[in-house]
Structures are given as structure tokens and as C-alpha cells.
Amino acid sequence: MRASSGLLVGLLVLPCLALPGLPGLPGAWAGGAGDGALRMTVTVNGRGHSGLRPPAVRVGAQVVKRYRLVNSGEAHLYGVRVVDPAVPAGAVRCPGRTLAALGELECVARFRAVGGERRATARVEGDIPSLRRRVAATARTGYVGVAGGLRLTERVTVGAPGRSGGSGRGLGVVWGSATVAYTVTNHGNRPLHAVRIGDPGLGLAPGTADCGAGARAVALLAPGASARCTAVVRRPPGTHRSTGVASGSDRVTTYGPRGERLPAPTLTARSSAVFTLPARASGATSAVPAGPKTRPEAKAGSGGAPGGLAASGGGGVAGAGAAGVPGGVAGTAGVPRGAAGAPGAAGTAGVAGAPPAGAVGGAGVPPAGAAGAAVPGGGGAAAEALPVLPPAPPPAPPSTALSAPPPPPSASLAVPLGDGQRSGDTTPPSVLRAEALDNESFLGRLRRRGQEARELDVVIILLLLLIPAAIAAVLLGNRRG
């Protein structure tokens, strides 16, 4: 009897021991829920194990983090939330707040990458209200933000101009030189390779600037470092514009939002500067010393002698009608040569445009027509028809000119004195007239011929009138006889 009762008790106790546990009893599992029932894995731009090997993402590109949550317990998790310090606040989005038992859930965070290494520990939490417990899991995650960038500045120094062409007295196109200094700086977090500088505004191809020791590029530019390249250009005078362009690459392959591999882009930087090259003389031209301006000598109308009268004062004409009178040349140094009329002009002091002698040197010259008897073969009309250029302003007369008395009005100028004749010379007037005719200009000769033609017409008319009268007188004399 006692054996049967012990067997009954054992059959009742064994099923109770096989049960997972009852609520309220210490040590109960509550359907297998516990700290090891929740797990989380994270991928960054399709790359797993980002905590150990964070993928490279270009700064400014999109970062996509996917959090995969797995609940291996038999109890539902409520109020599920993911916290990641490396993600902007509120960036993680989950489709629901409940993770069913033996279920999965994926939360996603999308944001823009920033520079530098961004590693953090993400944490997921959920509550089991029936057990009054909070279950959590963690995962290490991160990415590296690749920041590549260039900055370019330039400064122009204008040099002295130099001649680059032209002929004759050094007159050529003057080109100036300008030295352009480019400063390139790496403000990224990765080294830059093969940085080249060009300038389309000045016609410089990439790699033309000298970056030191004859190198045409900066082989390696560390983060935060700067390098200087220079270029010398020659341009004509004027305003010019420089447009510098720097290019290089950090040679870092990054990952896109869907896990694709992206090659390193070419980084560029631009700058500009405006400079002006002044216009200067290309060389010293042959300088001619400035002297007194001379006027062409006036030619006489009828038998005029070029050169005028040679006075003792130098280059002046003695008073009109003073030829052959001793001392009549003094005091007229201010009258330009050739201003006196030619032989046959009635009164050379009265020619239009010639100033009175009194206004020149103080020596009074008699008015027009006061002296100057007509030379045979000449006439007053020819002298009036001759245009006389106005004389240039005379220089200051010498002191001896003030003491010379004016020529007498009765003295007549038969033939003007030549350059080599003085007032006391006794050269016959015929010789002087022949010399004057030899030196006569074409215009003066033409005018003289016209005057002679007019005089010949008068003679012919007189002959035509006198010959009939003479014949009539002869006939009348014969009748009376």
C-alpha cells in the first residue's frame, strides 16, 4: 500500500518539473525571453562589420545605415527604439515599435556624411511588460568621411615693359611682363596627388606653371599644406584678366548608398585677378634740338631776287628805297629776309601784310610809295598782284639798330641787294638784274611773262592806232604838195 502511494506522488510531481515554469515562481523562464533573445547587426552603405572596417564615404554624399533586429525569444518586445550617437538625432526610422516573438525588424537611417572617422556603439532596447523587463542589444558601427578640397589664390606683380617688335627709330609695340604667383592649399583630410595649375585667361595650359625646381606639378600635397607655383607672361599694354585653375585628386575610392564603389573625382579650384600693364615708350627716339622756326623766303613778283638784302645786323632788309645809300642798311635786322619787293615793285614798304619798320626796330621807314621809282621793264601792278606771306615775329633787334637814322625818302631802290652784296658795293644794276632773273622762281617767271604780254598788247594797240594816222598824214601831205 505504501509503495503504490509513493508511485502516485512521483507521477504527479514529474510533469510539474518538466514544465518551463509558472508565473510568480522564482527561476521561471517565461517562454525563453531573456537578455540573449535580442540581437542587432548594422550595415553602412552595404558594408558589414563597419565597426572594424568602416567604409569610406565622400563628404556630402548620403550615408545609409540599416539596423537588423532579431527577437529569438517567445515574448513580444514593445517600445523598440534604436540609439546611435554617430547619427543625427531623429534620423533612425523604424516601421513599428513592436518586435514580435521569434520575429525580425529593420530600421534605417539616412543622412549626409561629414568629414573624419565616425565610429560609435549603437544600442537597441525593448520592453516585456508581462515580465516587467527591458531587453537590450548593442553593435559597433561607423564610417570614414573623406573630405577632398582645393583652394587657389593668386597674386600678380607687374614688371617693367620691354620692346618686342617694330622698326625705325625704336618705335615698336611695347609689351610688359607680369609674374603671376599661384598658391594652392589642400583643405581636405586626405593627401592630394599631381596638383597642376593652368590659366585659360592668359593662355597657360595645365602644368605650365613652375612649382619649384622646374617641376610642372605638385607631386604630393599633404592635408592643410600649401604650395606655390609661378608663371611669367608677356602682354601688350592694357587691362588683362587672369583665371587660374588648379586640379588634383586624392585617389580614394568611396562607397555609394547602395554599396557601389565610386572612383575618386578630380578636385578643382579657381581664382581670378585683374592687372594693368602701363603704356610706356619702347626706346629713346632721336631727339632734334628745338630751334627757331624759319619761314620760306618770299619770291619777288617781277625780277625779284631771292634771299632779300643782307644787312649788317644779320638777315634783315634795309629800309625800302635805301639801296646804294651808305649806312641805309643799319637798324633793320628785325625784318625777315625776302619781305622787300622785287625790282619793279612800286614802294616795297607798302606791301600788304608787311609791318611798318617803326614797329620792328624803331627805325622809321617811310610809308608805301614814298620811295621806290619804277625800274624799267617793271610795273606797280605786278607788285600789287604778288601775294606776300605774313612775316614771322621778329627777334629782338640789336642795340646798334636804334641808333641808325631812317633812310631818306628820296632814295629809290632800283634793284635789291643780293646775299653777297653790301651797301657799299658798286656792282652794276644790269648784273644784279641778271642774277635776279637766274634765281627767279617758276611762279615769278610766269607772272613776269604775263605782265610783259599785257604791255605788248598795249604797244600793239598803240601801233594799230598810230599807223593809220601816219598814213593819213602822208596822204594829206602829198595832196598839198
Side-chain angles (χ1 to χ4, degrees):
M1 189 66 177
R2 291 180 180 178
S4 59
S5 61
L7 181 60
L8 179 60
V9 172
L11 292 175
L12 294 175
V13 172
L14 288 176
C16 294
L17 295 177
L19 294 175
L22 297 175
L25 296 178
W29 288 1
D35 292 336
L38 181 63
R39 296 188 306 272
M40 178 177 63
T41 57
V42 183
T43 61
V44 179
N45 284 14
R47 309 296 295 176
H49 305 285
S50 60
L52 298 177
R53 296 180 299 274
V57 182
R58 189 71 56 181
V59 171
Q62 190 179 51
V63 178
V64 178
K65 278 190 175 185
R66 298 184 181 274
Y67 306 87
R68 184 171 178 267
L69 310 179
V70 178
N71 182 11
S72 60
E74 296 180 1
H76 295 335
L77 297 180
Y78 299 94
V80 177
R81 55 190 177 276
V82 177
V83 179
D84 190 346
V87 175
V92 181
R93 303 294 177 89
C94 297
R97 300 292 304 275
T98 301
L99 179 57
L102 304 177
E104 296 182 0
L105 182 65
E106 185 179 77
C107 299
V108 181
R110 291 181 173 87
F111 55 95
R112 297 293 176 181
V114 294
E117 187 174 299
R118 304 292 173 174
R119 296 192 185 188
T121 300
R123 180 181 178 86
V124 58
E125 296 177 348
D127 296 330
I128 304 176
S130 60
L131 299 178
R132 298 179 182 178
R133 297 187 60 182
R134 177 172 294 175
V135 182
T138 59
R140 188 71 175 169
T141 180
Y143 70 95
V144 177
V146 178
L150 281 174
R151 182 171 59 248
L152 180 65
T153 59
E154 61 180 274
R155 183 178 181 181
V156 182
T157 303
V158 177
R163 194 183 63 180
S164 72
S167 60
R169 294 188 178 182
L171 297 178
V173 179
V174 180
W175 285 45
S177 63
T179 302
V180 187
Y182 305 93
T183 302
V184 58
T185 304
N186 179 8
H187 60 86
N189 56 8
R190 292 298 179 93
L192 299 179
H193 304 268
V195 180
R196 301 177 183 273
I197 298 177
D199 197 327
L202 299 179
L204 301 179
T208 306
D210 183 9
C211 298
R216 299 302 178 182
V218 181
L220 184 65
L221 188 61
S226 298
R228 182 177 180 180
C229 302
T230 59
V232 179
V233 295
R234 298 185 65 82
R235 291 295 181 272
T239 301
H240 304 275
R241 184 180 184 87
S242 170
T243 56
V245 179
S247 60
S249 175
D250 54 18
R251 299 178 181 177
V252 177
T253 301
T254 57
Y255 292 89
R258 294 180 296 275
E260 67 274 18
R261 293 172 63 90
L262 303 176
T266 300
L267 306 176
T268 59
R270 300 179 182 274
S271 64
S272 63
V274 178
F275 60 96
T276 301
L277 295 177
R280 302 178 183 176
S282 62
T285 59
S286 56
V288 179
K293 296 183 179 180
T294 59
R295 296 180 56 87
E297 298 179 354
K299 300 297 180 177
S302 175
L309 299 179
S312 59
V317 179
V325 180
V329 182
T332 59
V335 182
R337 298 180 61 182
T348 57
V351 178
V360 176
V365 178
V375 179
E384 294 177 359
L386 176 62
V388 179
L389 296 175
S399 58
T400 58
L402 298 177
S403 61
S410 60
S412 61
L413 180 61
V415 177
L417 295 178
D419 291 339
Q421 185 181 7
R422 296 294 181 263
S423 60
D425 199 354
T426 58
T427 305
S430 60
V431 176
L432 297 179
R433 179 173 177 81
E435 293 179 357
L437 291 177
D438 292 340
N439 297 329
E440 185 180 13
S441 65
F442 175 76
L443 182 60
R445 187 175 302 172
L446 185 62
R447 291 176 177 173
R448 182 169 55 81
R449 295 299 183 186
Q451 179 65 25
E452 293 177 356
R454 287 194 295 271
E455 294 175 356
L456 184 60
D457 293 341
V458 174
V459 174
I460 294 175
I461 293 173
L462 292 178
L463 290 177
L464 293 177
L465 294 177
L466 293 176
I467 289 175
I471 296 174
V474 171
L475 294 175
L476 291 177
N478 292 334
R479 287 182 180 181
R480 291 178 180 176

